[in-house]
Amino acid sequence: MTGQVVVVTGGTRGVGAGIARAFLRVGAEVLVCARRPPAEPVQAAGRKAGFAPVDLRDAVAVADLFDAVAARHGRLDVLVNNAGGTPFRLLDDAADTARHLRVLELNLLAPLTASLAALPHLRRSHGSVVMVGSVSGTRPSPGTAAYGAAKAGLANLAASMAVEWAPSVRVNTVVPGMVRTELSHLHYGDEAGIAAVGATVPLGRLAEPEEIGEACVFLASPRAGYITGAALTVHGGGERPAFLAAANANQTEEQQP
């Protein structure tokens, strides 16, 4: 993807930084954007990603950002809508309503805002959008319900965009499972907790950010030229159904007490 221009929202840390590094490794010019700059530049393969500060909730600022990228580089080829996330918060207090709404805004409305701002530039380059969803949007998401609802909506938004914007712009979604980042301890606890959670995944571990990045690179690349409106799940095999462990029938010798 040498010469391709890629914008990764929320690309300063965690999964977003892993995505940015994956694009840097294949030769793309990468710009990461967030409200605050990274502690150190995002880099890989001897190359660095640029940084632009932006509040993705500000439609005018977002439009200005993409106009500036296109003016500077002469093109925009890929938008990766990665910015998002949520703290653990149960749906049990009306005082938290505004906080739940902010989660919806960041994880659903911000990708819509960024995609619409990028669209004119992507049409000129016949580029693509990659949404970063979550398995939380495909199953119940207790403790992060607003986040799960937003990610479910994001998948539908991407599928609808793919139909409306074809054939000039492709739109796909990467659906990560659990990923090990610098914030994993907030969700899974200490190293023992992270290892225990990883052991519930068929592949035996959490994903690394760069592995999500490789999936994004594939969907944005010419090798995926006939793929649009798709959702690529990257979750290590998902979760073994809990009822199988609880049942006392059809167990292997290793599973029997």
Side-chain angles (χ1 to χ4, degrees):
M1 298 185 69
T2 301
Q4 300 276 288
V5 178
V6 180
V7 172
V8 182
T9 69
T12 58
R13 64 182 184 179
V15 172
I19 293 170
R21 288 192 290 267
F23 277 101
L24 286 170
R25 289 192 184 98
V26 295
E29 298 295 325
V30 180
L31 177 78
V32 298
C33 60
R35 285 185 294 173
R36 291 178 291 276
E40 56 186 43
V42 178
Q43 53 190 320
R47 305 174 63 246
K48 295 181 181 180
F51 169 76
V54 69
D55 184 342
L56 293 168
R57 298 168 298 180
D58 184 339
V60 174
V62 172
D64 289 344
L65 168 67
F66 286 108
D67 288 346
V69 170
R72 178 178 179 180
H73 297 280
R75 60 188 298 136
L76 172 67
D77 298 281
V78 181
L79 165 63
V80 182
N81 279 308
N82 163 78
T86 183
F88 184 88
R89 183 173 291 117
L90 295 170
L91 296 172
D92 65 353
D93 190 341
D96 287 333
T97 298
R99 292 177 178 175
H100 293 303
L101 292 177
R102 284 197 292 272
V103 171
L104 289 169
E105 184 177 30
L106 176 61
N107 291 279
L108 180 57
L109 299 184
L112 172 59
T113 299
S115 298
L116 289 172
L119 179 59
H121 309 294
L122 293 172
R123 277 184 169 148
R124 283 192 287 273
S125 65
H126 290 269
S128 72
V129 176
V130 180
M131 303 290 196
V132 178
S134 171
V135 293
S136 292
T138 66
R139 55 160 171 74
S141 188
T144 56
Y147 175 78
K151 292 301 189 179
L154 187 66
N156 186 274
L157 177 65
S160 298
M161 285 177 170
V163 174
E164 289 194 22
W165 296 355
S168 59
V169 177
R170 296 185 300 109
V171 185
N172 292 292
T173 303
V174 170
V175 185
M178 295 178 288
V179 184
R180 178 161 188 152
T181 71
E182 60 268 40
L183 299 180
S184 290
H185 64 283
L186 298 178
H187 297 279
Y188 312 126
D190 58 14
E191 285 299 316
I194 292 172
V197 171
T200 69
V201 179
L203 286 187
R205 62 177 177 83
L206 276 60
E208 296 296 330
E210 282 79 0
E211 292 176 306
I212 307 305
E214 293 295 337
C216 293
V217 168
F218 166 68
L219 287 176
S221 75
R223 292 187 176 185
Y226 196 66
I227 300 176
T228 193
L232 175 58
T233 304
V234 186
H235 62 1
E239 303 171 2
R240 180 176 172 82
F243 77 85
L244 291 176
N248 59 14
N250 300 318
Q251 293 189 358
T252 65
E253 290 185 2
E254 290 81 3
Q255 293 170 323
Q256 293 174 357

